[in-house]
Amino acid sequence: MRKYLAEGLGVFFLVLVVVVVHAHEQGGSNTPLAAGLALAGLMAVLGPISGAHFNPAFTLAMLIAGRIYRREAPYYMLAQILGALSASFFGVFLLGCIGNDEFPPHRNDGVCSIMAEFIGAFIFTLAFLRLPGNQINGGAVCGALLSALMFTLGPVSMAVFNPALAIGLSMSGWTPWADIWLYLIGPLLGAATAASAQTYFAAAESADS
């Protein structure tokens, strides 16, 4: 139960940061930096409890890699989605307190956006699988990489790379529900590909040692 609570809390604060900062900045110029710092801190604090997935795509990759039990994965994902939903409601409420709760949703080009989500999720997940995510240095590297990817791919797809975050952004109005499939298929395929790549790299490293 502690693992799932940690996952829910981690996603809650990550989604809250993205929703509020992106709206407050009127275009989200500081969103990548804020998201990266939030992820680094949350991974350092909650990583020792749950492994700090905070992302259904990461959980899928961990399942494919055999690093979590099959019975755990659905509960991880459920906790992440519930955390994202809670954060979206709370974030919109806070924005309403300062009169900043109406904003135009991001417009996606289907092919370009799904490619951006796939590529970003692949690199991001591969880093998560190869780094000690439950330690401070692993969280710092993942946070820095997330910021870099969001700065690079944000104009294309908002650089979500996370189905739970996508649900939170759709609930808050930042992305249209009609585009939710982009944020499900792209990140999940990218994460699955990263898990396969990591298996290949690990086998090569074992053979070389």
Side-chain angles (χ1 to χ4, degrees):
M1 187 64 182
R2 286 175 294 180
K3 292 180 180 180
Y4 313 133
L5 179 59
E7 286 295 305
L9 285 173
V11 173
F12 176 87
F13 286 109
L14 181 61
V15 173
L16 184 66
V17 166
V18 173
V19 168
V20 174
V21 173
H22 197 80
H24 186 63
E25 291 293 321
Q26 295 294 330
S29 60
N30 289 324
T31 304
L33 180 59
L37 290 173
L39 180 64
L42 290 167
M43 289 181 75
V45 173
L46 299 174
I49 302 173
S50 67
H53 298 189
F54 309 147
N55 185 339
F58 281 6
T59 299
L60 175 64
M62 293 288 280
L63 180 61
I64 293 172
R67 297 191 190 180
I68 61 170
Y69 296 111
R70 290 183 181 178
R71 66 176 182 271
E72 289 183 319
Y75 295 109
Y76 264 73
M77 293 181 182
L78 178 60
Q80 292 157 0
I81 292 171
L82 290 176
L85 290 173
S86 301
S88 66
F89 286 119
F90 191 56
V92 171
F93 169 77
L94 292 178
L95 290 170
C97 294
I98 58 175
N100 194 18
D101 58 345
E102 294 185 5
F103 31 78
H106 177 82
R107 300 186 65 171
N108 287 296
D109 176 279
V111 174
C112 294
S113 295
I114 202 168
M115 288 180 62
E117 288 295 305
F118 174 87
I119 294 170
F122 172 80
I123 297 297
F124 191 28
T125 305
L126 186 61
F128 178 81
L129 292 172
R130 294 189 58 80
L131 291 168
N134 61 339
Q135 298 179 13
I136 293 177
N137 59 340
V141 172
C142 284
L145 182 58
L146 176 61
S147 292
L149 288 169
M150 291 183 75
F151 275 121
T152 304
L153 300 174
V156 181
S157 68
M158 280 194 72
V160 179
F161 318 136
N162 183 335
L165 175 57
I167 291 173
L169 292 174
S170 295
M171 286 295 298
S172 63
W174 270 120
T175 56
W177 279 109
D179 290 347
I180 191 66
W181 65 276
L182 298 169
Y183 299 113
L184 298 179
I185 295 175
L188 291 174
L189 285 178
T193 305
S196 299
Q198 169 56 15
T199 300
Y200 173 77
F201 292 148
E205 290 167 348
S206 298
D208 292 339
S209 60

